[in-house]
Amino acid sequence: MSKNKNLLDIKNLTIHYGTDSGTVYAVDNLNLDIGYGETLGFVGETGAGKTTTALGIMQLIPNPPGKIIDGEIYFEGENLLNKTEKEMRDIRGSKISMIFQDPMTSLNPVMTVGDQIAEMIKLHDKVTNEEADKRAKEMLEVVGIRKERAKDYPHQFSGGMKQRVVIAIALACHPSLIIADEPTTALDVTIQAQVLELMKDLKVKYDTSMIMITHDLGIVAEICDNVAIMYAGSVIEYADVNSLYNNPLHPYTVGLFNSIPDLDSEQEELQVIKGHTPDPTNLPSGCPFHPRCPQAMDKCSKEKPNRIEVEPGHFVNCFLHEKTNKL
Ligand code: SF4
């Protein structure tokens, strides 16, 4: 986890929102890094702080009510939190791109898809209109859409095809990092698989790093190298995909795996994690998972567990694993 080998290095990131019901502790002292060419799965329930973290990286937290209270976000060795808005505008789209869940939030309904890709290219690269149009058509073909369709509008495409257009825009300037926020959730299952396959292929083709925000551990197994499990604004377990799937350590992670339907199992009822995600304006004391944890001990409601490296590269924030820390 040294800074030099990382494309992105987030340190102690804390983000709050001021609301009428009180302060929302959306991201709490979050530490995370991503290597060059790596795909990181960023997993957790709705409200865990995944999207807020992504918006923090992009410097797109609406302020007010949101505010980055503390932390550092190093991207290619430079702290994004020290960048001006103009510098961030240059970085967004050219070096870091974001793909949202609903393609219609990213596409302009009154502009042809070809023009939308060309616009992104012209925004960041000094090219003629002809060159931008040519590159836009090439990008359409890269995502599996015939170049003749460059003159069509978003409403003339299906949901899966629209998301392909969004991917073409995201990749148009060959960013080093793509943040994909539940990019297939709004799509039919068969289309989901095609879009995921496309993202996987393009990630390799362009040697791009990717943060895949999802609540779906199946997608993580399919596409990711490493996984960060997030709960109540913090990463509570981090490991490579194999370690996490073979040996989940945090009781919350174990609960997530137990709540996946297993068609081979004779057990009829799913084991859901009891209780609800905590109120972000009033997080529990100590370990934020303690009110739902089947293995909670006395000290869990009083002290917050530190991060422990249980085996090389496998980190967990849980008192149960304190004695197994072999490093
Ligand atoms: Fe459960 Fe305690 Fe571990 Fe938190 S620290 S996950 S409450 S055992």
Side-chain angles (χ1 to χ4, degrees):
M1 285 203 163
S2 90
K3 196 191 294 180
N4 294 338
K5 70 177 172 57
N6 295 328
L7 173 67
L8 183 76
D9 210 334
I10 303 177
K11 297 196 175 300
N12 308 321
L13 184 64
T14 300
I15 304 174
H16 293 171
Y17 289 97
T19 72
D20 291 344
S21 338
T23 301
V24 171
Y25 299 95
V27 175
D28 181 27
N29 204 21
L30 179 134
N31 290 282
L32 199 61
D33 55 55
I34 299 163
Y36 288 88
E38 175 186 334
T39 298
L40 175 78
F42 205 29
V43 178
E45 292 163 295
T46 303
K50 309 182 300 286
T51 300
T52 300
T53 303
L55 294 175
I57 296 167
M58 299 290 278
Q59 301 285 302
L60 289 174
I61 299 281
N63 180 3
K67 191 159 189 224
I68 296 181
I69 303 292
D70 196 9
E72 293 158 346
I73 303 174
Y74 288 96
F75 175 74
E76 293 181 337
E78 293 183 24
N79 189 356
L80 295 181
L81 298 186
N82 293 336
K83 300 280 178 197
T84 63
E85 177 49 29
K86 182 184 174 307
E87 288 169 329
M88 278 311 298
R89 270 201 303 273
D90 290 342
I91 289 171
R92 284 185 216 117
S94 69
K95 295 191 163 207
I96 310 177
S97 282
M98 194 154 172
I99 299 172
F100 293 95
Q101 183 179 122
D102 177 3
M104 282 318 286
T105 56
S106 316
L107 295 175
N108 181 340
V110 296
M111 224 174 148
T112 67
V113 298
D115 284 351
Q116 294 188 52
I117 304 171
E119 189 181 50
M120 176 62 86
I121 294 167
K122 283 187 286 186
L123 194 64
H124 295 293
D125 295 346
K126 287 189 173 48
V127 293
T128 62
N129 288 345
E130 292 71 31
E131 174 64 16
D133 288 343
K134 182 168 162 274
R135 275 177 55 186
K137 285 179 180 155
E138 284 167 5
M139 280 314 298
L140 275 181
E141 301 232 301
V142 162
V143 297
I145 297 176
R146 284 182 297 114
K147 63 175 186 285
E148 291 74 23
R149 299 213 57 190
K151 58 184 178 336
D152 289 341
Y153 290 87
H155 74 269
Q156 294 171 279
F157 292 82
S158 66
M161 295 290 259
K162 280 193 206 97
Q163 200 59 305
R164 284 173 186 261
V165 173
V166 171
I167 293 169
I169 295 172
L171 283 169
C173 296
H174 309 300
S176 336
L177 176 65
I178 289 186
I179 304 175
D181 191 358
E182 307 262 9
T184 59
T185 305
L187 306 176
D188 291 343
V189 177
T190 47
I191 308 296
Q192 274 189 12
Q194 291 171 11
V195 170
L196 270 185
E197 201 54 39
L198 174 71
M199 292 181 74
K200 214 159 110 179
D201 291 348
L202 294 179
K203 199 197 92 63
V204 174
K205 178 175 165 116
Y206 292 105
D207 196 21
T208 309
S209 301
M210 181 153 60
I211 299 177
M212 173 64 75
I213 297 176
T214 182
H215 58 269
D216 186 334
L217 285 164
I219 288 178
V220 172
E222 188 69 28
I223 199 167
C224 298
D225 304 305
N226 295 312
V227 198
I229 306 284
M230 190 147 183
Y231 189 80
S234 304
V235 173
I236 48 98
E237 185 160 3
Y238 172 93
D240 66 72
V241 167
N242 283 339
S243 303
L244 191 96
Y245 281 64
N246 292 327
N247 186 24
L249 298 174
H250 196 284
Y252 176 65
T253 315
V254 173
L256 285 181
F257 278 106
N258 286 343
S259 59
I260 299 173
D262 180 357
L263 297 178
D264 297 330
S265 163
E266 290 180 2
Q267 190 181 317
E268 287 186 3
E269 275 189 46
L270 282 182
Q271 295 178 36
V272 292
I273 302 170
K274 68 166 188 161
H276 300 284
T277 47
D279 174 358
T281 63
N282 185 21
L283 291 178
S285 57
C287 170
F289 189 56
H290 85 259
R292 305 173 76 186
C293 180
Q295 289 164 277
M297 305 166 273
D298 269 358
K299 76 176 193 179
C300 298
S301 59
K302 300 185 186 101
E303 292 171 44
K304 198 164 185 170
N306 290 320
R307 190 169 80 153
I308 302 161
E309 189 169 15
V310 174
E311 53 187 35
H314 194 153
F315 298 85
V316 67
N317 293 58
C318 173
F319 292 126
L320 290 174
H321 301 283
E322 273 184 330
K323 291 195 185 68
T324 59
N325 184 6
K326 302 168 193 137
L327 301 176

